[in-house]
Amino acid sequence: MRNSKGHSGAILILFAVFLFAVPFALRAQDTNTNGKVNLPADGFSSNGKVSLPADGKVNLPPEDIGTGIFSTLPFKVTFNLGSGYDDNVTTTHDKHGSAFSNVNLALTYNFGSPRTQIQLETGGGYTYYWDDVSAQGVDTNNYDVSAYVRFALVHKASARLTLSTTDYVAYQTEPDFTLAAGSNQRSSNYFFTQDKFTANYLWAPRFATATSYTLGGLHYDDDNVGFYQDRWENTFGNEFRFLLSPSTTLVAEYRFQIVSYEQIARDSTTHFVLGGFDHTFNPRLNMSFRGGAEFRNYENDGDKTSPYFEGTLNYALGKQTTVAWSTRYAIEEPDVLLSQSRKTFRTGLAVKHDLTTRISGSLGAYYEHDDYQSLNQPNVFSPGFNEDSVDLAVSVRYGITRYIGVQVGYNYTDVWSDMSFREYSRNRVWGGLNLVF
């Protein structure tokens, strides 16, 4: 929900970083008309959300780390101005639609050298709903505000040691299927961060390790939702990597995760024992897979064991087409009060294609199946239930000139659940002006 209570501090912090980053003249990442960053389909891979690929590298486009570094303007700025109609602004079982207007700004900067690669992105958006949605008793404002900062760094400290980090900070409104966090229901504006630090060390020509630490955080403006959602996640991991062939690396991995809730008694620790591989079919196609088991201990509800797997596939068909697919099955944190955990299968596909020199299109498709576990504690019992979610996003851009274009898009979301009050569907159409510098 667009609840303004308590979010002013988060907005000030994010936009302070935003203003600091502007002088660096960032290079833009695509945004849609809700002001959210469109993460790649593997945004929820690697035991969390935003992460490096399994090889620990930031795969910046070649044109961004080559001679373009020395061009007059080594950056890109994207500005979007548009309007549309959302037939379920509150994303609840009882629909309430509204026309809306939206403005977005995104900036990105890429830098590369033989030893260091840096990618810095930031952006924000504002959406105003013309109908009085606050009259439905679920909102206090008729607007959404969002902002994000994403930073990636890879530095070759020595011939054997490579250090890297990926950091993502966002303030936005649900739902966002590109992240394995938050709820698929409209609950409240929320702050989210995922920061991963990795040290890759080459011990021998065929043997290397990748030691990592990941910090994740989630905080809602609405105290009623934050009571059972606000938390911090600390994950420590180590990969043992053996180069089987020039194109294939075998991986054995161990992770240890600590989840600490700020208010509710839902803390847990989890051990992951995984094996897998990274394989490069050709310079344009690569695949990564991890599979094994996770062993979770809850502070107040005993132990749970579950299979765990995750995989990603990336394919670049020249400069015209890119395809990214990812999937994962794991124990995740629930987004309801009376459930200790859920087992989730999620998969996502992101496709971008240049139809002609002027026309380009993108497709995002996400599916999620949630198995919420029952809660059986003294004086408290809640049955388990299943829920399925689908989210589709399609957009097309036509370039009028080198810098100016028009774009249209359609978003569809459908959630069906054993709990009928959680079901909803949503259609969102939009169009507008797109400027790229």
Side-chain angles (χ1 to χ4, degrees), residues 55 245-249 277-289 311-316 323 325:
D55 59 4
S245 70
S247 61
T248 303
T249 300
F277 63 88
D278 299 330
H279 179 71
T280 299
F281 296 92
N282 57 56
R284 296 180 177 179
L285 177 64
N286 63 80
M287 178 181 182
S288 176
F289 176 81
T312 62
L313 181 69
N314 296 284
Y315 180 55
V323 179
W325 169 80

Side-chain angles (χ1 to χ4, degrees), residues 177 345-348 365-369 387-391 416:
F177 284 78
F345 169 77
R346 61 175 71 241
T347 187
Y366 299 89
Y367 169 75
E368 177 180 330
H369 174 77
E387 190 168 283
D388 295 273
S389 306
V390 171
D391 186 74
W416 58 99

Side-chain angles (χ1 to χ4, degrees), residues 19 50 55 165 180 198 261 292 331 406 408 418:
L19 292 174
V50 181
D55 59 4
T165 180
T198 307
Y261 281 80
I331 297 176
V406 292
V408 295
D418 292 341

Side-chain angles (χ1 to χ4, degrees), residues 87-90 92-97 136 424-427:
D87 73 348
N88 194 357
V89 176
T90 59
T92 61
H93 188 65
D94 298 321
K95 286 189 175 183
H96 180 74
Q136 304 304 306
Y424 75 88
S425 63
R426 184 184 191 188
N427 295 274

